[in-house]
Amino acid sequence: MSIADDITSNSKDTYGTAWSVRKGTVVPDPKDLKLSNDAVYFERATVLYADLDGSTNLVSSSKWEFSGQVYKTFLYAASRLIRKHGGSIVSYDGDRVMGIFISNRQCNEAVSCALELNYAIKKLLQPELEKKWTTDFKIRHVVGIDTSEIRVARTGVRGDNDLVWIGNSANLAAKLTALSADYPTWITDRVHAYLDNAQKFGPQGENIWKGWNWTEHNKDQIYSTTYWRTFS
């Protein structure tokens, strides 16, 4: 069979086969799903994308050793904090990482993760960077968070496949990371509605969130913050 025939056959099978869907209670691994139209459904899951800002300019203007260390420390910090808050790491894509939260407090956990990541960048990674390199480079990042129903399926070819997450939260959390890194954490109105006071207010009772109309997406209500939270 030629490659063209193989691709045509896969398309016929995929478009012509009904989905088999089951409710999920844990984030699956690729091996838990078939390559056919098999999916796991979550009534609600919260997606966090953490993206390193300005990575194109970083790579083009810096030594590769420097860029590589910035990438590695950023992704390590984000990944450790996703796991600390009960999330599952489901994808790395260059300079970004995607986490899924499915617990009863998923929005609060994802936001707490984002606030701690902001602290980690400014108070842990940046000082260590400046100890080792003479540079005026500042690590900047953007986290996007959304929540919605979502489905997950397995995609790719045998021996080289991964999971694809199908739902608004996956799409919109990723798009939020294109917004200004002057506000490192961006969330949708849906996420904000689930937050408890610990995630909405600072230590003096101040509202830490600024509301915006998302002009790039139907003028939806979204929120951003520059706030960080310490951890040890």
Side-chain angles (χ1 to χ4, degrees), residues 3-192:
I3 293 176
D5 290 338
D6 183 39
I7 291 172
T8 301
S9 176
N10 174 264
S11 298
K12 287 180 178 179
D13 289 344
T14 301
Y15 292 133
T17 304
W19 282 92
S20 172
V21 183
R22 60 191 182 279
K23 189 171 182 179
T25 56
V26 298
V27 175
D29 291 322
K31 62 181 175 57
D32 298 325
L33 287 150
K34 300 174 184 177
L35 275 170
S36 57
N37 288 355
D38 185 30
V40 172
Y41 168 73
F42 294 91
E43 184 175 352
R44 189 168 66 88
T46 298
V47 177
L48 178 152
Y49 268 96
D51 184 82
L52 182 65
D53 185 62
S55 58
T56 300
N57 290 335
L58 170 65
V59 171
S60 65
S61 62
S62 302
K63 294 181 177 179
W64 76 264
E65 296 94 338
F66 179 84
S67 301
Q69 290 171 9
V70 172
Y71 271 57
K72 283 170 62 67
T73 53
F74 170 73
L75 292 171
Y76 183 85
S79 300
R80 285 285 281 126
L81 289 169
I82 288 169
R83 287 185 173 177
K84 173 180 183 280
H85 290 277
S88 297
I89 299 161
V90 296
S91 177
Y92 291 99
D93 180 15
D95 61 351
R96 65 167 54 184
V97 59
M98 175 183 178
I100 299 285
F101 298 78
I102 61 172
S103 75
N104 291 336
R105 287 181 45 79
Q106 57 190 256
C107 287
N108 285 280
E109 290 165 345
V111 167
S112 183
C113 174
L115 300 183
E116 290 186 4
L117 179 59
N118 194 25
Y119 170 81
I121 299 300
K122 291 177 171 59
K123 302 299 182 180
L124 304 179
L125 271 63
Q126 187 69 38
E128 290 301 319
L129 176 72
E130 292 172 1
K131 290 177 185 178
K132 302 299 189 297
W133 293 87
T134 301
T135 179
D136 58 1
F137 176 79
K138 301 297 182 185
I139 304 171
R140 285 163 56 90
H141 75 290
V142 184
V143 170
I145 304 172
D146 190 26
T147 190
S148 73
E149 70 173 7
I150 200 166
R151 292 164 178 84
V152 57
R154 189 176 177 185
T155 187
V157 296
R158 295 191 183 280
D160 192 3
N161 50 79
D162 205 346
L163 298 179
V164 58
W165 294 84
I166 308 157
N168 285 333
S169 54
N171 291 336
L172 296 185
K175 289 182 178 180
L176 285 170
T177 63
L179 299 178
S180 174
D182 291 341
Y183 298 88
T185 305
W186 291 86
I187 64 174
T188 62
D189 187 50
R190 287 182 292 275
V191 173
H192 189 268

